[in-house]
Amino acid sequence: MSSAPPPPSGPQGSPASQALPKSLEPLESLAPRLPSPLSEAADEHFSRHGVRLLLKRDDLIHPDLVGNKWRKLVPNLRAAARAGEHTLLTFGGAYSNHLRATAAAGRLLGLSTIGVVRGEELAGRPLNDSLARCAADGMRLHFVTRADYRRRNDPEWTAALRERFGPFHLIPEGGSNAEAVRGAAELGRELRGAADVVAVACGTGGTLAGLAAGLADGQRAIGFAALRGGFLAGEVERLQQAAFGGRRGAWTVEDRFHCGGFARTTDALESFARGFAARHGLPGLDRVYVAKTLYGLAALAGEGAFPRGTAVAAVVTG
Ligand SMILES: *Cc1c(COP(=O)(O)O)cnc(C)c1O
């Protein structure tokens, strides 16, 4: 084992250590729009079933640290600062919004970032737009084979990454860990009293795990899986266990609306998304996550899943 140099931190226990760590002062100047706006969206797909639709605009929190990525990343940035770590290392696929948000955080806060990217074959090729933005923000990209990527939670493998890159603050894939889940609980608290049902898109399930925990009694959350695989409910349980010591809030998972899997689409989804974006002035409506959630939610309303008079808030996570 190599020993890491001691972190450059101030004197412990002094009054100054109560203040915001120096490396996070810029975080306060990023001026996030919080609580994020909540707006009514009159829409035939819902109103004809007697359901009110609201949009929780987390996509407006910050232009670079968008949506649920703000809520999950900021607590991790604070944890890194408390630990005196100036380098963040995290994991993602070639189109990961989480990698982009982490890279942007690095640029904005003056931290080094390393992105471990799934797919060694990408190493020699021109970067796609998403990875090019990561690189432009100063992220060091490290491409690994799919077999290695599967070991991303294996301490032996991450120890090898420390040998290679030196000390870093590790943030798991999608940014979902206990800190992130506790950060996402604030989304639920912002929605108390505002809706009966809250719908959110799920990748890793970290946002749903926190959201459900933050809601009031009598409110419930539905997570719409954007990936296929049926693993989501187990992950949400695990994340709530890690963050809160047990299951919290009322939540369920919908596995029927991934439309073929991550970043896949169907004609029906695309035409719904185009119509919704036009009706509600959302030209950049995210297809990978948010459109599937709205599409699934409209389908549930059509199936009579919500009693007339139900208010449903859909989280625009990005
Ligand atoms: C990352 C992301 C999600 C998935 O969030 P999880 O916490 O991983 O479930 C949902 N929507 C958008 C827009 C995202 O970028």
Side-chain angles (χ1 to χ4, degrees):
M1 291 296 284
S2 70
S3 60
S9 60
Q12 296 295 305
S14 70
S17 69
Q18 300 299 314
L20 197 68
K22 191 127 195 81
S23 62
L24 277 184
E25 280 166 12
L27 196 53
E28 305 307 299
S29 63
L30 296 181
R33 201 163 161 195
L34 288 170
S36 65
L38 181 68
S39 60
E40 183 100 32
D43 194 288
E44 258 291 287
H45 285 92
F46 296 86
S47 57
R48 67 167 169 254
H49 305 291
V51 174
R52 266 178 69 210
L53 178 68
L54 302 153
L55 298 178
K56 178 66 169 163
R57 298 293 305 273
D58 267 18
D59 57 318
L60 301 178
I61 293 176
H62 190 275
D64 294 319
L65 301 187
V66 179
N68 64 345
K69 299 303 182 279
W70 173 281
R71 297 192 188 271
K72 297 199 300 180
L73 205 45
V74 165
N76 273 291
L77 298 172
R78 292 189 193 284
R82 278 196 306 273
E85 299 284 11
H86 297 278
T87 300
L88 309 172
L89 178 140
T90 193
F91 307 88
Y95 294 92
S96 166
N97 290 343
H98 164 66
L99 282 186
R100 274 220 309 284
T102 305
R107 168 174 51 81
L108 293 166
L109 302 175
L111 302 168
S112 303
T113 57
I114 301 163
V116 178
V117 186
R118 180 180 59 229
E120 197 186 31
E121 72 281 2
L122 300 171
R125 298 200 202 147
L127 299 176
N128 68 29
D129 287 354
S130 190
L131 291 176
R133 271 165 61 189
C134 292
D137 280 342
M139 179 174 262
R140 178 167 177 188
L141 299 173
H142 178 57
F143 297 91
V144 301
T145 64
R146 273 145 221 276
D148 276 348
Y149 191 84
R150 260 178 248 119
R151 298 183 64 198
R152 63 193 174 275
N153 299 323
D154 171 353
E156 228 177 83
W157 191 62
T158 52
L161 291 173
R162 285 184 204 282
E163 293 283 330
R164 180 175 184 134
F165 294 114
F168 53 72
H169 185 79
L170 185 146
I171 302 177
E173 181 183 56
S176 288
N177 55 12
E179 278 88 14
V181 169
R182 288 192 289 264
E186 187 60 21
L187 167 60
R189 288 191 286 272
E190 288 178 19
L191 285 163
R192 287 183 180 186
D196 304 298
V197 175
V198 181
V200 71
C202 294
T204 61
T207 306
L208 173 63
L211 161 68
L215 292 174
D217 286 349
Q219 294 181 292
R220 67 184 175 97
I222 308 175
F224 288 82
L227 286 76
R228 57 198 290 170
F231 58 86
L232 192 55
E235 268 302 286
V236 176
E237 291 256 12
R238 187 186 67 76
L239 287 164
Q240 286 201 329
Q241 179 71 41
F244 310 115
R247 196 176 161 115
R248 293 288 183 281
W251 56 269
T252 51
V253 159
E254 259 300 342
D255 266 320
R256 287 185 292 153
F257 303 103
H258 55 64
C259 301
F262 189 69
R264 300 289 172 86
T265 190
T266 61
D267 291 345
L269 170 67
E270 187 47 37
S271 115
F272 174 89
R274 223 178 287 130
F276 194 94
R279 286 195 300 283
H280 300 288
L282 296 168
L285 178 67
D286 170 84
R287 298 297 203 266
V288 175
Y289 292 103
V290 182
K292 288 180 183 179
T293 297
L294 293 164
Y295 176 69
L297 204 50
L300 291 186
E303 292 171 0
F306 310 116
R308 298 189 79 81
T310 301
V312 177
V315 183
V316 184
T317 39

